[in-house]
Amino acid sequence: SAIIAMLDEKRIQCPYCWEYFEITVDASEGDSQDFVYDCEVCCRPIDVHVSIQGENVKVRTKQGGSV
């Protein structure tokens, strides 16, 4: 379905505890997205930036919670 195609699982690394986990990126939210996601391991706030160009989805993370 078209809705499923807009969701993409991305593996990220927490910039605090360095553990890896997956987040879901929703391409329907736009080509450039900024949001705060709490680490699933240490619960600290992570600033997440997503950029989407066609089929290419890039995710950057940094310590924060300031978005």
Side-chain angles (χ1 to χ4, degrees), residues 44-66:
R44 294 181 78 178
I46 303 168
D47 287 343
V48 179
H49 175 75
V50 177
S51 60
I52 302 170
Q53 297 176 350
E55 298 291 319
N56 190 12
V57 178
K58 291 184 181 177
V59 180
R60 282 192 333 241
T61 61
K62 67 179 183 177
Q63 292 182 0
S66 61

Side-chain angles (χ1 to χ4, degrees), residues 1-16:
S1 114
I3 293 173
I4 299 290
M6 301 210 105
L7 300 177
D8 193 8
E9 292 287 323
K10 288 294 177 188
R11 183 174 164 102
I12 65 169
Q13 184 178 32
C14 175
Y16 296 100

Side-chain angles (χ1 to χ4, degrees), residues 18-65:
W18 307 109
E19 293 293 330
Y20 287 94
F21 57 92
E22 290 191 352
I23 62 170
T24 301
V25 174
D26 184 353
S28 70
E29 293 294 319
D31 292 342
S32 182
Q33 306 172 31
D34 292 291
F35 54 91
V36 176
Y37 193 94
D38 291 339
C39 175
E40 295 179 2
V41 179
C42 72
C43 300
R44 294 181 78 178
I46 303 168
D47 287 343
V48 179
H49 175 75
V50 177
S51 60
I52 302 170
Q53 297 176 350
E55 298 291 319
N56 190 12
V57 178
K58 291 184 181 177
V59 180
R60 282 192 333 241
T61 61
K62 67 179 183 177
Q63 292 182 0

